[in-house]
Amino acid sequence: MKQIYLDHNATSPVRKEVLEAMMPYFSDEYGNASSVHSKGQAALKAVEASREVIGHVIGTEPVDIVFTSGGTESDNFAIKGAALANLEKGRHVITSKTEHSAVLDTCKFLEEQLGFEVTYLPVDKYGVVDLDMFKDSIRKDTVLASIMFANNETGTIQPIKEIAKIAKKQGVYFHIDAVQALGKEHIDVEELGIDLCSFSGHKLNGPKGVGALYVKKGVKIIPYQNGGHHERKRRAGTLNVPGIVGFAKALEIAARDMQKVNKHLKKLTKKLLDGLQSDLKEVYLNGHPKSRLSNTLNISFRYIEGESMLLNFDLKGILASTGSACTSGSLEPSHVLTAMGVPPDISQGSIRFSFGYENTEEDVDYCLAEIPPIVKRLRDMSPLC
Ligand SMILES: *Cc1c(COP(=O)(O)O)cnc(C)c1O
């Protein structure tokens, strides 16, 4: 049976060109980028060329990029690192209720282990943070604010530039989790005016287990791991050379094709939403109608449960998700949809379809043929209907 993968916000397939670029660094060019001999230097050269590519795409100098093991580590590094380096200023952090668990749980860690106070900002019905509320939440002892660029469950994009302006004026460090946005939206860290920015390779058709943190020059942050002198002593550990090379290659291609791919994905997501809404009653879009990632479509099918839909979709080869990969599996309603005020009887029936460049119109046609009968059948069996 054919499979239609619509879960790119969980992870995405590595492109052929990316894999090809990585291969030599597993075999012939296996050197440790810290070694002084020629094999080490060949690996180092590949790492620095990759850093250059990434720096160019995000609008900064290569030295401001620290390679990590992925988005989760970058979020931990940014938040704990900046919080611990600036204890003399205070112990208050601002974030939002719809952040990824890598940010939320790191903030909880600061509260529980280090006596920090954290403000979890509410969002509007589209999932957007209010600028005045953000401004009002800043205190004398606020060290850092962390708000995501684009939400992984709904695709909603935050007014990052405006938030950054406020944070800068008040002397608060500003971190953004741009894991979902990288390669999908134009990101220029200097233009945005941010201090710290998290990235990951595997959400943009790169490899898993590699990511980066942008650290603006002059930002006080303590190293995340101690050990060797790697990454200018900001993150110890032997560099994942094939991963770094693959990450840079994936980003280079994503940035090159961004406009074309976004146009394609907008068309697909619109076609799927329109088709489902014309065939089925009580189908709602979650997230911002316009200020949203082109690839992400979070839809609620009222009266039925996301989990049972997913299993039935899977039997037909349609692979989607009920939200974030980290919280699905639990039957708790999504914290993101709850924060947006979506009532439980609607949020429980939500499905996230997240597309990738390789999806086609035929994929959507197939979904439009297979999904409505499943939804109708489940609704017939639902006691809620
Ligand atoms: C996937 C994701 C992460 C975690 O990145 P990993 O590389 O999987 O650790 C963090 N934030 C967001 C918004 C994500 O979508």
Side-chain angles (χ1 to χ4, degrees):
M1 187 180 54
K2 81 165 170 184
Q3 283 195 324
I4 296 173
Y5 186 75
L6 297 176
D7 200 12
H8 291 78
N9 288 11
T11 194
S12 57
V14 172
R15 283 181 197 260
K16 199 167 131 272
E17 304 97 299
V18 170
L19 189 60
E20 271 164 14
M22 293 171 70
M23 287 309 277
Y25 298 96
F26 288 109
S27 49
D28 298 341
E29 293 298 356
Y30 52 78
N32 183 324
S34 300
S35 298
V36 294
H37 52 63
S38 50
K39 252 206 182 334
Q41 291 307 298
L44 180 63
K45 208 171 141 199
V47 166
E48 293 314 321
S50 302
R51 206 189 300 276
E52 191 113 354
V53 167
I54 297 169
H56 181 72
V57 172
I58 66 162
T60 189
E61 286 171 40
V63 295
D64 300 336
I65 292 161
V66 184
F67 287 115
T68 67
S69 68
T72 301
E73 184 188 319
S74 296
D75 286 342
N76 274 264
F77 181 9
I79 297 169
K80 290 177 193 166
L84 289 173
N86 297 281
L87 286 173
E88 82 286 354
K89 182 168 182 212
R91 291 179 192 240
H92 180 237
V93 170
I94 300 166
T95 187
S96 88
K97 287 186 179 171
T98 60
E99 296 301 308
H100 189 273
S101 54
V103 166
L104 288 177
D105 287 0
T106 302
C107 288
K108 279 210 191 79
F109 173 88
L110 292 181
E111 287 179 301
E112 286 164 10
Q113 303 297 325
L114 295 163
F116 270 72
E117 283 180 62
V118 179
T119 301
Y120 298 90
L121 291 173
V123 294
D124 67 13
K125 64 177 175 173
Y126 298 130
V128 179
V129 166
D130 183 84
L131 294 177
D132 287 329
M133 255 185 227
F134 173 69
K135 197 172 165 188
D136 292 344
S137 69
I138 295 175
R139 316 190 317 205
K140 249 203 179 115
D141 59 344
T142 307
V143 183
L144 173 79
S146 177
I147 304 284
M148 71 207 312
F149 191 112
N151 187 270
N152 47 301
E153 290 190 28
T154 61
T156 291
I157 293 171
Q158 299 290 352
I160 292 299
K161 212 170 166 174
E162 289 73 23
I163 300 172
K165 230 179 242 158
I166 297 168
K168 190 170 187 174
K169 205 166 162 200
Q170 307 284 331
V172 171
Y173 281 145
F174 186 37
H175 164 251
I176 67 171
D177 175 335
V179 171
Q180 285 297 342
L182 187 69
K184 300 177 190 157
E185 291 292 320
H186 172 69
I187 296 177
D188 184 313
V189 291
E190 279 181 21
E191 206 179 284
L192 287 172
I194 56 179
D195 301 297
L196 299 152
C197 187
S198 299
F199 304 111
S200 176
H202 72 106
K203 305 283 174 79
L204 52 125
N205 304 101
K208 295 171 183 62
V210 65
L213 182 69
Y214 159 74
V215 183
K216 186 176 156 182
K217 277 186 200 71
V219 167
K220 266 174 73 186
I221 186 164
I222 62 156
Y224 187 61
Q225 293 192 155
N226 308 111
H229 290 187
H230 314 86
E231 298 298 89
R232 297 174 172 240
K233 287 195 176 177
R234 291 171 294 187
R235 197 271 189 184
T238 301
L239 291 177
N240 173 2
V241 181
I244 289 166
V245 168
F247 176 23
K249 189 75 189 169
L251 180 58
E252 189 178 13
I253 298 172
R256 182 195 70 196
D257 295 350
M258 190 182 302
Q259 274 189 319
K260 191 179 71 189
V261 170
N262 276 347
K263 207 171 147 210
H264 171 62
L265 296 178
K266 262 202 186 102
K267 201 166 148 196
L268 298 190
T269 48
K270 183 175 184 322
K271 180 173 170 155
L272 182 57
L273 179 64
D274 290 350
L276 291 172
Q277 284 184 328
S278 71
D279 204 355
L280 294 162
K281 289 195 192 78
E282 305 233 38
V283 172
Y284 307 106
L285 173 72
N286 297 310
H288 201 285
K290 289 216 179 68
S291 183
R292 197 174 85 237
L293 295 175
S294 315
N295 82 315
T296 307
L297 197 60
N298 190 310
I299 303 179
S300 284
F301 299 85
R302 199 174 186 174
Y303 303 122
I304 45 181
E305 270 182 359
E307 296 290 323
S308 43
M309 266 185 285
L310 272 195
L311 295 176
N312 282 280
F313 293 174
D314 195 13
L315 292 174
K316 295 288 182 188
I318 299 169
L319 313 180
S321 155
T322 50
S324 93
C326 315
T327 45
S328 59
S330 71
L331 282 175
E332 292 277 299
S334 146
H335 73 281
V336 175
L337 300 185
T338 302
M340 287 159 57
V342 179
D345 69 314
I346 294 180
S347 70
Q348 65 159 6
S350 68
I351 297 283
R352 177 187 71 187
F353 301 97
S354 48
F355 287 73
Y357 74 93
E358 74 284 5
N359 289 123
T360 61
E361 288 219 31
E362 289 74 52
D363 292 348
V364 177
D365 289 334
Y366 181 79
C367 289
L368 289 175
E370 297 295 338
I371 291 175
I374 294 173
V375 172
K376 284 174 190 161
R377 186 159 45 80
L378 290 173
R379 279 183 177 171
D380 283 344
M381 300 189 309
S382 167
L384 301 170
C385 255

